[in-house]
Amino acid sequence: MSCFVTHLESAIDGTRLPHDRIQTVHEGRPLWVRYDLEAVGRAVDPETIAGREPTLWRYRELLPLPDGAEAVTLGEGMTPLLCAPRLGAALGLDDLRIKDESQLPTGSFKSRGLSMAVTMARHFGTKRLAIPTAGNAGGAMSAYAARAGMEAYVFMPQDTPVINQLECVLAGAKTFLVNGLITDCGAIVRDGKDRMGWFDCSTLKEPYRIEGKKTMGLELAEQLGWTLPDVIVYPTGGGTGLIGMWKAFAELRQLGWLKSDRMPRMVAVQSDGCAPIPRAFDAGERFASPWENATTCASGLRVPAAVGDFMILDAVRESGGWAVAVEESRIADAMRRAIASEGIALCPESAACVLGIEKLVARGCISRNDRVVLFNTGAANKYIEIIPLKLPTIENARDVDYNIFDL
Ligand SMILES: *Cc1c(COP(=O)(O)O)cnc(C)c1O
């Protein structure tokens, strides 16, 4: 036996639900996947895991893959944890590392969650997937649907980065632009899913994407020799990444695999163009009210209302962390500076995190000797709209005036 799932559990009221059939939400709120962790601990240990293939499936005892089911995979997982000394110094930190998720299939960490969700959808016999997306989730779902030979329907706001539109189309997904926000796209999937026979892959509307995202936390712990950093800074949209990592750390602690019980402070970063989570955090509220007129170039952060809002806020507060909003107008410039300082292709969402660190260092929340990990959730080159290019052109390569280079 290799599947250790015992049941699903409502995050809002703890109701137990069986895991042997398709489940979506309970009382409109997300579900946790629960495991028999004692049995997991008897079945596997960190040494065994260390010898396995470098993909997220190395943690299979902590994943929902049913016995006999085959994973839908593109080799996702085990992204590098890179030291960022120059960017760290600029921010006043001695130990800044970047977990570079831009190197994953389809160029974002969304592949972790969608690999898992599509695997489970196929296991349950679904043939048709649908997703509302701010961009990268749609691209990832389309790729995994193609990999699994399933049909994909993608709904995205009209102004979604063109690369995201392209990757869905190239993977054969039925792709639609919607005059509205991701919440409007979500309504299309919710209202049409019975009629269309869609498996709803929306963020947190099925229990398995979190389990895929959780592997970011498992990898981080393994890469740090089963210890955790002092601070984790994460760009937050729907929240699966942050929620998933916090769940991973709780499971690892219960398994007794961590060398210290000290948990990292979790930092949720949003843009001040769409900051429902920082606003609720500052107001001391457990649920976030929807953000009006959400605008940000960091498209993954453009989530005006998240069904898992309380899960994000609970995790941030339990960890002793913070939710911060950064200036939208500074994101593009921060992105350029960060990439130029380390060569790591930071997406605008993670550039917002650079500004978040700057803010928390200035406030004295993060100190110089804290070990800080920033997640680069996506690849910079997916955002061709973000910085208008105006490059000098050399008209005649045979007759160059070299004085122009002394700028
Ligand atoms: C989706 C996305 C986010 C937000 O992730 P959540 O886990 O849904 O909060 C951040 N960055 C990028 C690049 C994304 O695609």
Side-chain angles (χ1 to χ4, degrees), residues 46 49-50 53-56 58-59 76-83 95 97-101 103-104 112 213-229 232 245 249 252 257-259 371 373-376:
I49 288 173
E53 265 190 45
T55 74
L56 60 76
R58 70 206 266 110
Y59 307 109
E76 53 289 323
M78 269 307 175
T79 56
L81 181 62
L82 301 165
C83 292
D95 186 354
R97 296 180 207 207
I98 298 178
K99 181 125 171 92
D100 190 11
E101 300 281 300
Q103 303 187 28
L104 288 168
R112 294 182 187 268
K213 303 293 180 75
K214 180 177 92 175
T215 60
M216 286 188 289
L218 302 176
E219 280 177 25
L220 183 62
E222 185 178 359
Q223 287 171 319
L224 292 173
W226 303 101
T227 66
L228 295 171
I232 292 178
M245 272 194 279
F249 301 152
L252 289 177
W257 290 2
L258 295 174
K259 293 190 175 139
R371 292 161 304 151
V373 172
L374 181 160
F375 273 78
N376 181 30

Short mmCIF file of all heavy atoms in Angstrom, two decimals, residues 46 49-50 53-56 58-59 76-83 95 97-101 103-104 112 213-229 232 245 249 252 257-259 371 373-376:
data_model
loop_
_atom_site.label_atom_id
_atom_site.label_comp_id
_atom_site.label_asym_id
_atom_site.label_seq_id
_atom_site.Cartn_x
_atom_site.Cartn_y
_atom_site.Cartn_z
N PRO A 46 13.36 10.16 5.46
CA PRO A 46 14.07 11.11 4.60
C PRO A 46 15.20 10.47 3.79
O PRO A 46 15.45 10.86 2.65
CB PRO A 46 14.64 12.13 5.60
CG PRO A 46 13.66 12.11 6.72
CD PRO A 46 13.23 10.68 6.84
N ILE A 49 13.74 8.90 0.70
CA ILE A 49 13.32 9.95 -0.23
C ILE A 49 14.53 10.53 -0.97
O ILE A 49 14.47 10.77 -2.17
CB ILE A 49 12.54 11.06 0.52
CG1 ILE A 49 11.16 10.51 0.90
CG2 ILE A 49 12.42 12.32 -0.33
CD1 ILE A 49 10.35 11.42 1.78
N ALA A 50 15.63 10.70 -0.25
CA ALA A 50 16.83 11.30 -0.85
C ALA A 50 17.32 10.51 -2.06
O ALA A 50 17.95 11.07 -2.96
CB ALA A 50 17.93 11.41 0.20
N GLU A 53 13.97 9.88 -7.57
CA GLU A 53 14.04 10.84 -8.68
C GLU A 53 13.74 12.27 -8.22
O GLU A 53 12.89 12.46 -7.36
CB GLU A 53 12.98 10.48 -9.72
CG GLU A 53 13.51 9.63 -10.84
CD GLU A 53 12.49 9.52 -11.96
OE1 GLU A 53 11.89 10.54 -12.35
OE2 GLU A 53 12.31 8.39 -12.42
N PRO A 54 14.42 13.24 -8.82
CA PRO A 54 14.21 14.64 -8.40
C PRO A 54 12.94 15.26 -8.99
O PRO A 54 13.00 16.22 -9.74
CB PRO A 54 15.47 15.34 -8.91
CG PRO A 54 15.87 14.55 -10.10
CD PRO A 54 15.47 13.13 -9.85
N THR A 55 11.79 14.70 -8.66
CA THR A 55 10.51 15.33 -9.02
C THR A 55 9.67 15.37 -7.75
O THR A 55 10.03 14.74 -6.74
CB THR A 55 9.74 14.52 -10.08
OG1 THR A 55 9.19 13.36 -9.47
CG2 THR A 55 10.62 14.13 -11.26
N LEU A 56 8.54 16.05 -7.82
CA LEU A 56 7.73 16.15 -6.60
C LEU A 56 7.12 14.81 -6.20
O LEU A 56 6.65 14.64 -5.07
CB LEU A 56 6.65 17.24 -6.74
CG LEU A 56 5.59 17.18 -7.84
CD1 LEU A 56 4.49 16.17 -7.54
CD2 LEU A 56 4.99 18.56 -8.03
N ARG A 58 8.64 12.26 -5.54
CA ARG A 58 9.48 11.60 -4.53
C ARG A 58 8.80 11.61 -3.16
O ARG A 58 9.17 10.83 -2.29
CB ARG A 58 10.86 12.27 -4.46
CG ARG A 58 10.87 13.66 -3.86
CD ARG A 58 12.04 14.50 -4.37
NE ARG A 58 13.23 14.47 -3.53
CZ ARG A 58 14.38 13.87 -3.85
NH1 ARG A 58 14.49 13.20 -4.96
NH2 ARG A 58 15.43 13.94 -3.05
N TYR A 59 7.81 12.49 -2.98
CA TYR A 59 7.10 12.56 -1.69
C TYR A 59 5.77 11.82 -1.75
O TYR A 59 4.81 12.18 -1.09
CB TYR A 59 6.85 14.03 -1.32
CG TYR A 59 8.11 14.86 -1.33
CD1 TYR A 59 8.32 15.82 -2.32
CD2 TYR A 59 9.10 14.69 -0.35
CE1 TYR A 59 9.48 16.57 -2.35
CE2 TYR A 59 10.26 15.44 -0.38
CZ TYR A 59 10.45 16.37 -1.38
OH TYR A 59 11.60 17.12 -1.41
N GLU A 76 7.82 17.63 -13.12
CA GLU A 76 7.80 18.81 -12.26
C GLU A 76 8.43 18.54 -10.89
O GLU A 76 8.35 17.45 -10.36
CB GLU A 76 6.35 19.30 -12.06
CG GLU A 76 5.36 18.24 -11.58
CD GLU A 76 5.03 17.19 -12.63
OE1 GLU A 76 4.94 17.52 -13.81
OE2 GLU A 76 4.92 16.00 -12.27
N GLY A 77 9.02 19.59 -10.34
CA GLY A 77 9.52 19.51 -8.96
C GLY A 77 11.02 19.66 -8.85
O GLY A 77 11.74 19.74 -9.85
N MET A 78 11.49 19.71 -7.62
CA MET A 78 12.90 19.86 -7.27
C MET A 78 13.56 21.05 -7.98
O MET A 78 14.59 20.92 -8.65
CB MET A 78 13.67 18.57 -7.52
CG MET A 78 13.68 17.71 -6.27
SD MET A 78 14.28 18.67 -4.86
CE MET A 78 14.09 17.58 -3.49
N THR A 79 12.96 22.19 -7.80
CA THR A 79 13.53 23.43 -8.35
C THR A 79 14.69 23.87 -7.47
O THR A 79 14.73 23.56 -6.28
CB THR A 79 12.47 24.54 -8.37
OG1 THR A 79 11.96 24.69 -7.04
CG2 THR A 79 11.34 24.21 -9.32
N PRO A 80 15.66 24.59 -8.05
CA PRO A 80 16.83 24.98 -7.26
C PRO A 80 16.51 26.04 -6.20
O PRO A 80 15.60 26.86 -6.39
CB PRO A 80 17.79 25.55 -8.31
CG PRO A 80 16.95 25.90 -9.48
CD PRO A 80 15.76 24.99 -9.46
N LEU A 81 17.25 25.95 -5.11
CA LEU A 81 17.18 26.97 -4.06
C LEU A 81 18.48 27.75 -4.19
O LEU A 81 19.54 27.29 -3.79
CB LEU A 81 17.08 26.29 -2.70
CG LEU A 81 16.97 27.20 -1.48
CD1 LEU A 81 15.72 28.05 -1.53
CD2 LEU A 81 16.99 26.36 -0.19
N LEU A 82 18.39 28.94 -4.80
CA LEU A 82 19.60 29.68 -5.17
C LEU A 82 19.94 30.77 -4.15
O LEU A 82 19.05 31.48 -3.69
CB LEU A 82 19.38 30.34 -6.54
CG LEU A 82 19.04 29.38 -7.69
CD1 LEU A 82 18.48 30.14 -8.89
CD2 LEU A 82 20.27 28.58 -8.09
N CYS A 83 21.22 30.89 -3.82
CA CYS A 83 21.65 32.00 -2.96
C CYS A 83 21.55 33.29 -3.77
O CYS A 83 21.84 33.31 -4.96
CB CYS A 83 23.10 31.80 -2.52
SG CYS A 83 23.27 30.41 -1.42
N ASP A 95 21.45 36.53 4.40
CA ASP A 95 21.15 35.20 3.84
C ASP A 95 19.79 35.20 3.16
O ASP A 95 18.78 34.85 3.76
CB ASP A 95 21.21 34.14 4.95
CG ASP A 95 21.05 32.72 4.42
OD1 ASP A 95 20.79 32.55 3.21
OD2 ASP A 95 21.18 31.78 5.22
N ARG A 97 17.71 33.62 -0.03
CA ARG A 97 17.71 32.61 -1.08
C ARG A 97 16.42 32.69 -1.88
O ARG A 97 15.39 33.10 -1.34
CB ARG A 97 17.84 31.21 -0.48
CG ARG A 97 19.18 31.06 0.21
CD ARG A 97 19.32 29.69 0.78
NE ARG A 97 20.23 29.75 1.92
CZ ARG A 97 20.96 28.73 2.32
NH1 ARG A 97 20.86 27.56 1.72
NH2 ARG A 97 21.76 28.87 3.34
N ILE A 98 16.53 32.27 -3.12
CA ILE A 98 15.36 32.29 -4.00
C ILE A 98 15.08 30.87 -4.46
O ILE A 98 15.94 30.21 -5.03
CB ILE A 98 15.60 33.21 -5.22
CG1 ILE A 98 15.82 34.66 -4.73
CG2 ILE A 98 14.43 33.12 -6.20
CD1 ILE A 98 16.12 35.66 -5.83
N LYS A 99 13.88 30.40 -4.18
CA LYS A 99 13.47 29.10 -4.72
C LYS A 99 12.85 29.39 -6.08
O LYS A 99 11.83 30.06 -6.20
CB LYS A 99 12.48 28.42 -3.77
CG LYS A 99 12.06 27.06 -4.28
CD LYS A 99 12.30 25.97 -3.24
CE LYS A 99 11.67 24.65 -3.66
NZ LYS A 99 12.56 23.76 -4.42
N ASP A 100 13.53 28.89 -7.11
CA ASP A 100 13.22 29.35 -8.47
C ASP A 100 12.25 28.43 -9.20
O ASP A 100 12.63 27.53 -9.93
CB ASP A 100 14.51 29.51 -9.27
CG ASP A 100 14.23 30.21 -10.59
OD1 ASP A 100 13.10 30.73 -10.76
OD2 ASP A 100 15.13 30.25 -11.45
N GLU A 101 10.98 28.75 -9.03
CA GLU A 101 9.91 27.94 -9.62
C GLU A 101 9.69 28.26 -11.10
O GLU A 101 8.87 27.62 -11.76
CB GLU A 101 8.61 28.20 -8.85
CG GLU A 101 8.69 27.83 -7.38
CD GLU A 101 8.55 26.35 -7.16
OE1 GLU A 101 7.52 25.79 -7.53
OE2 GLU A 101 9.51 25.74 -6.62
N GLN A 103 11.56 27.56 -13.33
CA GLN A 103 12.15 26.49 -14.14
C GLN A 103 11.23 25.28 -14.31
O GLN A 103 11.61 24.28 -14.90
CB GLN A 103 13.48 26.07 -13.52
CG GLN A 103 14.44 27.25 -13.39
CD GLN A 103 15.83 26.83 -12.96
OE1 GLN A 103 16.27 25.72 -13.22
NE2 GLN A 103 16.53 27.73 -12.29
N LEU A 104 10.04 25.36 -13.75
CA LEU A 104 9.09 24.24 -13.85
C LEU A 104 8.41 24.18 -15.22
O LEU A 104 8.42 25.17 -15.95
CB LEU A 104 8.02 24.40 -12.77
CG LEU A 104 8.49 24.13 -11.33
CD1 LEU A 104 7.45 24.59 -10.34
CD2 LEU A 104 8.81 22.66 -11.13
N ARG A 112 2.85 22.38 -10.35
CA ARG A 112 2.78 21.45 -9.20
C ARG A 112 1.34 21.09 -8.88
O ARG A 112 0.98 19.92 -8.75
CB ARG A 112 3.39 22.08 -7.96
CG ARG A 112 4.88 22.33 -8.05
CD ARG A 112 5.35 22.92 -6.73
NE ARG A 112 6.74 23.34 -6.81
CZ ARG A 112 7.78 22.57 -6.49
NH1 ARG A 112 7.57 21.34 -6.06
NH2 ARG A 112 9.01 23.01 -6.59
N LYS A 213 0.97 21.92 -4.42
CA LYS A 213 1.71 23.12 -3.98
C LYS A 213 2.49 22.86 -2.70
O LYS A 213 3.54 23.46 -2.45
CB LYS A 213 0.75 24.29 -3.75
CG LYS A 213 -0.11 24.66 -4.94
CD LYS A 213 0.70 25.23 -6.09
CE LYS A 213 -0.18 25.61 -7.27
NZ LYS A 213 -0.94 26.82 -7.09
N LYS A 214 1.94 21.97 -1.89
CA LYS A 214 2.58 21.59 -0.63
C LYS A 214 4.02 21.13 -0.85
O LYS A 214 4.89 21.34 0.00
CB LYS A 214 1.73 20.45 -0.05
CG LYS A 214 2.16 19.88 1.25
CD LYS A 214 1.17 18.82 1.71
CE LYS A 214 1.56 17.42 1.22
NZ LYS A 214 0.68 16.36 1.77
N THR A 215 4.27 20.56 -2.02
CA THR A 215 5.61 20.01 -2.26
C THR A 215 6.69 21.10 -2.30
O THR A 215 7.86 20.81 -2.11
CB THR A 215 5.66 19.20 -3.57
OG1 THR A 215 5.30 20.04 -4.68
CG2 THR A 215 4.71 18.01 -3.50
N MET A 216 6.29 22.37 -2.49
CA MET A 216 7.29 23.46 -2.38
C MET A 216 7.87 23.48 -0.97
O MET A 216 9.06 23.69 -0.77
CB MET A 216 6.64 24.82 -2.66
CG MET A 216 6.33 25.05 -4.11
SD MET A 216 5.79 26.74 -4.41
CE MET A 216 4.20 26.74 -3.64
N GLY A 217 7.00 23.27 0.01
CA GLY A 217 7.44 23.27 1.40
C GLY A 217 8.26 22.02 1.72
O GLY A 217 9.26 22.09 2.44
N LEU A 218 7.86 20.88 1.17
CA LEU A 218 8.60 19.64 1.42
C LEU A 218 10.01 19.74 0.83
O LEU A 218 11.01 19.40 1.48
CB LEU A 218 7.86 18.45 0.80
CG LEU A 218 6.42 18.22 1.30
CD1 LEU A 218 5.77 17.05 0.54
CD2 LEU A 218 6.41 17.92 2.80
N GLU A 219 10.08 20.26 -0.40
CA GLU A 219 11.39 20.42 -1.05
C GLU A 219 12.28 21.39 -0.30
O GLU A 219 13.48 21.13 -0.12
CB GLU A 219 11.21 20.95 -2.48
CG GLU A 219 10.83 19.91 -3.47
CD GLU A 219 10.59 20.50 -4.86
OE1 GLU A 219 11.15 21.57 -5.20
OE2 GLU A 219 9.84 19.86 -5.62
N LEU A 220 11.68 22.49 0.11
CA LEU A 220 12.46 23.50 0.82
C LEU A 220 13.09 22.88 2.07
O LEU A 220 14.28 23.05 2.33
CB LEU A 220 11.55 24.67 1.20
CG LEU A 220 12.20 25.85 1.88
CD1 LEU A 220 13.24 26.49 0.97
CD2 LEU A 220 11.15 26.90 2.29
N ALA A 221 12.29 22.14 2.83
CA ALA A 221 12.80 21.50 4.04
C ALA A 221 13.92 20.52 3.70
O ALA A 221 14.98 20.51 4.34
CB ALA A 221 11.66 20.78 4.76
N GLU A 222 13.70 19.71 2.67
CA GLU A 222 14.73 18.73 2.30
C GLU A 222 16.01 19.43 1.84
O GLU A 222 17.12 19.04 2.23
CB GLU A 222 14.21 17.79 1.20
CG GLU A 222 15.23 16.70 0.87
CD GLU A 222 14.77 15.69 -0.18
OE1 GLU A 222 13.65 15.79 -0.69
OE2 GLU A 222 15.60 14.79 -0.49
N GLN A 223 15.85 20.49 1.03
CA GLN A 223 17.03 21.20 0.52
C GLN A 223 17.80 21.90 1.63
O GLN A 223 18.99 22.13 1.51
CB GLN A 223 16.59 22.21 -0.56
CG GLN A 223 16.20 21.52 -1.85
CD GLN A 223 15.56 22.48 -2.87
OE1 GLN A 223 14.76 23.33 -2.50
NE2 GLN A 223 15.91 22.33 -4.13
N LEU A 224 17.13 22.22 2.73
CA LEU A 224 17.81 22.87 3.86
C LEU A 224 18.17 21.84 4.94
O LEU A 224 18.32 22.19 6.11
CB LEU A 224 16.92 23.98 4.44
CG LEU A 224 16.71 25.21 3.54
CD1 LEU A 224 15.67 26.15 4.14
CD2 LEU A 224 18.03 25.96 3.31
N GLY A 225 18.28 20.58 4.53
CA GLY A 225 18.68 19.53 5.49
C GLY A 225 17.64 19.33 6.58
O GLY A 225 17.98 19.12 7.74
N TRP A 226 16.37 19.36 6.21
CA TRP A 226 15.24 19.18 7.14
C TRP A 226 15.26 20.23 8.26
O TRP A 226 15.05 19.95 9.43
CB TRP A 226 15.16 17.75 7.67
CG TRP A 226 15.03 16.81 6.51
CD1 TRP A 226 16.04 16.06 5.97
CD2 TRP A 226 13.86 16.58 5.68
NE1 TRP A 226 15.58 15.37 4.84
CE2 TRP A 226 14.25 15.67 4.65
CE3 TRP A 226 12.55 17.05 5.68
CZ2 TRP A 226 13.37 15.23 3.66
CZ3 TRP A 226 11.68 16.60 4.70
CH2 TRP A 226 12.09 15.70 3.71
N THR A 227 15.58 21.47 7.83
CA THR A 227 15.37 22.63 8.69
C THR A 227 14.55 23.61 7.85
O THR A 227 14.37 23.40 6.66
CB THR A 227 16.69 23.32 9.10
OG1 THR A 227 17.29 23.90 7.93
CG2 THR A 227 17.66 22.35 9.75
N LEU A 228 14.06 24.67 8.49
CA LEU A 228 13.26 25.65 7.77
C LEU A 228 13.86 27.04 7.98
O LEU A 228 14.52 27.28 8.99
CB LEU A 228 11.81 25.61 8.26
CG LEU A 228 11.08 24.29 7.96
CD1 LEU A 228 9.72 24.23 8.65
CD2 LEU A 228 10.91 24.09 6.45
N PRO A 229 13.66 27.95 7.02
CA PRO A 229 14.22 29.30 7.17
C PRO A 229 13.45 30.08 8.25
O PRO A 229 12.46 29.59 8.79
CB PRO A 229 13.99 29.91 5.80
CG PRO A 229 12.83 29.18 5.22
CD PRO A 229 12.89 27.79 5.78
N ILE A 232 9.59 33.20 5.17
CA ILE A 232 9.27 32.85 3.78
C ILE A 232 8.40 33.95 3.20
O ILE A 232 7.38 34.32 3.80
CB ILE A 232 8.54 31.50 3.70
CG1 ILE A 232 9.49 30.37 4.09
CG2 ILE A 232 7.96 31.27 2.30
CD1 ILE A 232 8.86 28.99 4.11
N MET A 245 2.21 25.23 1.69
CA MET A 245 3.49 25.12 2.41
C MET A 245 3.28 25.02 3.91
O MET A 245 3.95 24.25 4.59
CB MET A 245 4.36 26.33 2.11
CG MET A 245 5.19 26.12 0.88
SD MET A 245 6.48 27.36 0.76
CE MET A 245 5.55 28.70 0.07
N PHE A 249 4.59 22.00 6.38
CA PHE A 249 5.43 22.13 7.58
C PHE A 249 4.76 21.44 8.77
O PHE A 249 5.43 20.79 9.58
CB PHE A 249 5.71 23.60 7.90
CG PHE A 249 6.40 24.33 6.77
CD1 PHE A 249 6.23 25.70 6.60
CD2 PHE A 249 7.21 23.65 5.88
CE1 PHE A 249 6.86 26.38 5.56
CE2 PHE A 249 7.85 24.31 4.83
CZ PHE A 249 7.66 25.68 4.67
N LEU A 252 5.27 17.72 8.34
CA LEU A 252 6.67 17.33 8.60
C LEU A 252 6.96 17.35 10.10
O LEU A 252 7.68 16.49 10.63
CB LEU A 252 7.64 18.27 7.88
CG LEU A 252 7.69 18.13 6.36
CD1 LEU A 252 8.63 19.16 5.76
CD2 LEU A 252 8.12 16.71 5.95
N TRP A 257 10.26 14.80 11.23
CA TRP A 257 11.41 14.87 10.31
C TRP A 257 12.21 16.16 10.44
O TRP A 257 13.30 16.26 9.89
CB TRP A 257 10.93 14.72 8.87
CG TRP A 257 10.44 13.34 8.52
CD1 TRP A 257 10.34 12.27 9.39
CD2 TRP A 257 9.97 12.87 7.26
NE1 TRP A 257 9.83 11.18 8.72
CE2 TRP A 257 9.61 11.51 7.41
CE3 TRP A 257 9.84 13.46 6.00
CZ2 TRP A 257 9.11 10.75 6.36
CZ3 TRP A 257 9.34 12.71 4.95
CH2 TRP A 257 8.98 11.36 5.13
N LEU A 258 11.64 17.17 11.10
CA LEU A 258 12.34 18.46 11.18
C LEU A 258 13.30 18.47 12.37
O LEU A 258 12.97 17.97 13.44
CB LEU A 258 11.32 19.60 11.32
CG LEU A 258 10.40 19.81 10.11
CD1 LEU A 258 9.34 20.86 10.42
CD2 LEU A 258 11.22 20.22 8.89
N LYS A 259 14.46 19.07 12.14
CA LYS A 259 15.48 19.08 13.20
C LYS A 259 15.14 20.08 14.29
O LYS A 259 15.70 20.03 15.38
CB LYS A 259 16.85 19.37 12.60
CG LYS A 259 17.29 18.21 11.71
CD LYS A 259 18.72 18.30 11.27
CE LYS A 259 19.08 17.03 10.51
NZ LYS A 259 19.90 17.32 9.33
N ARG A 371 17.30 34.19 8.12
CA ARG A 371 17.43 33.42 6.87
C ARG A 371 16.10 33.54 6.12
O ARG A 371 15.07 33.05 6.59
CB ARG A 371 17.74 31.96 7.17
CG ARG A 371 19.15 31.75 7.78
CD ARG A 371 19.24 30.41 8.47
NE ARG A 371 18.18 30.30 9.48
CZ ARG A 371 17.62 29.16 9.87
NH1 ARG A 371 18.00 28.02 9.37
NH2 ARG A 371 16.67 29.17 10.78
N VAL A 373 13.73 33.22 2.65
CA VAL A 373 13.53 32.58 1.34
C VAL A 373 12.40 33.28 0.60
O VAL A 373 11.30 33.44 1.14
CB VAL A 373 13.22 31.07 1.48
CG1 VAL A 373 12.82 30.47 0.13
CG2 VAL A 373 14.43 30.32 2.03
N LEU A 374 12.72 33.70 -0.60
CA LEU A 374 11.73 34.34 -1.48
C LEU A 374 11.39 33.33 -2.58
O LEU A 374 12.28 32.67 -3.12
CB LEU A 374 12.37 35.59 -2.07
CG LEU A 374 11.61 36.51 -3.02
CD1 LEU A 374 12.30 37.87 -3.01
CD2 LEU A 374 11.56 36.01 -4.43
N PHE A 375 10.13 33.19 -2.88
CA PHE A 375 9.72 32.28 -3.95
C PHE A 375 9.56 33.03 -5.26
O PHE A 375 8.82 34.01 -5.32
CB PHE A 375 8.42 31.56 -3.59
CG PHE A 375 8.66 30.31 -2.81
CD1 PHE A 375 8.97 30.38 -1.46
CD2 PHE A 375 8.63 29.07 -3.43
CE1 PHE A 375 9.23 29.23 -0.73
CE2 PHE A 375 8.89 27.91 -2.71
CZ PHE A 375 9.19 27.99 -1.36
N ASN A 376 10.29 32.57 -6.30
CA ASN A 376 10.04 33.10 -7.64
C ASN A 376 9.05 32.16 -8.31
O ASN A 376 9.41 31.10 -8.81
CB ASN A 376 11.32 33.19 -8.45
CG ASN A 376 11.02 33.76 -9.83
OD1 ASN A 376 10.08 34.55 -9.97
ND2 ASN A 376 11.77 33.35 -10.83
#
